[in-house]
Amino acid sequence: MNSLIFECSNMKNGEKFPVEHTGRGRDISPEFIIQNLSSYAKTLAIILEDIKHPVFKDFTHWLIFNIPAREKIDGDIPGGKILSCLGNARQGIGYGLYKYAGPKPPKGRQHLYRFTMYALDSEIDLTGLPTKKRFMKMAKGHIIQQGSIVGKYE
């Protein structure tokens, strides 16, 4: 599997999350710029996880998949299960919601958050409850590129 290289607006890998993309700010998804998208990619998926959550390992904050392959994904993606504004992409359950839910650790505690982006060779026909675990099971064998960016927030 090849690496997928992408940038996240206003944040470099290893840096602090911009407040506007957190639960203490506007809580809007960032813009993503993909640098080396394979010509074989049909769809993209993004997962945001709290990788330092003290109770739940890799706690899911956001899952979005079946985004038509493209080199730029605009920020401020609205909530909802199916997004006609994004080629009928689907949002799964993250933080108990069908929407982006940015970092919001307890005050005074720093957590690490990871955006993982996947380029897939097909759409994922996920019926029933769209969780990260179910998505990853269905996506196995279809992921052709993968990359991640980590940010911190307290």
Side-chain angles (χ1 to χ4, degrees):
M1 177 186 336
N2 292 327
S3 290
L4 183 61
I5 301 169
F6 67 96
E7 295 177 2
C8 183
S9 64
N10 307 323
M11 186 179 86
K12 300 280 187 222
N13 191 36
E15 291 184 354
K16 185 177 178 181
F17 247 85
V19 174
E20 70 181 313
H21 302 300
T22 73
R24 297 209 193 331
R26 294 181 51 215
D27 208 17
I28 60 171
S29 61
E31 174 185 84
F32 297 92
I33 305 293
I34 298 129
Q35 296 178 4
N36 67 331
L37 185 62
S38 168
S39 60
Y40 297 106
K42 301 291 183 226
T43 65
L44 299 168
I46 304 169
I47 296 175
L48 173 62
E49 301 167 289
D50 180 341
I51 58 176
K52 289 292 183 178
H53 195 284
V55 179
F56 303 105
K57 182 176 172 16
D58 299 340
F59 183 77
T60 307
H61 275 252
W62 187 39
L63 165 63
I64 185 167
F65 59 100
N66 290 349
I67 302 168
R70 58 186 64 198
E71 293 180 345
K72 178 183 173 193
I73 300 169
D74 290 332
D76 199 7
I77 294 172
K81 292 180 183 181
I82 298 175
L83 301 172
S84 59
C85 64
L86 198 53
N88 289 326
R90 297 194 53 206
Q91 291 189 102
I93 295 180
Y95 216 82
L97 306 166
Y98 291 94
K99 66 183 256 352
Y100 176 86
K104 191 177 176 183
K107 288 206 182 261
R109 298 253 174 114
Q110 182 178 358
H111 285 205
L112 290 177
Y113 298 86
R114 178 179 56 216
F115 282 110
T116 305
M117 185 178 295
Y118 303 91
L120 300 102
D121 63 8
S122 68
E123 286 191 356
I124 301 301
D125 187 21
L126 182 56
T127 58
L129 199 60
T131 62
K132 174 181 67 178
K133 184 177 180 179
R134 294 188 72 230
F135 168 77
M136 292 306 296
K137 184 177 180 182
M138 296 283 294
K140 189 175 181 180
H142 295 285
I143 299 170
I144 56 177
Q145 290 177 288
Q146 175 181 334
S148 62
I149 292 176
V150 174
K152 54 191 169 188
Y153 192 72
E154 59 182 323

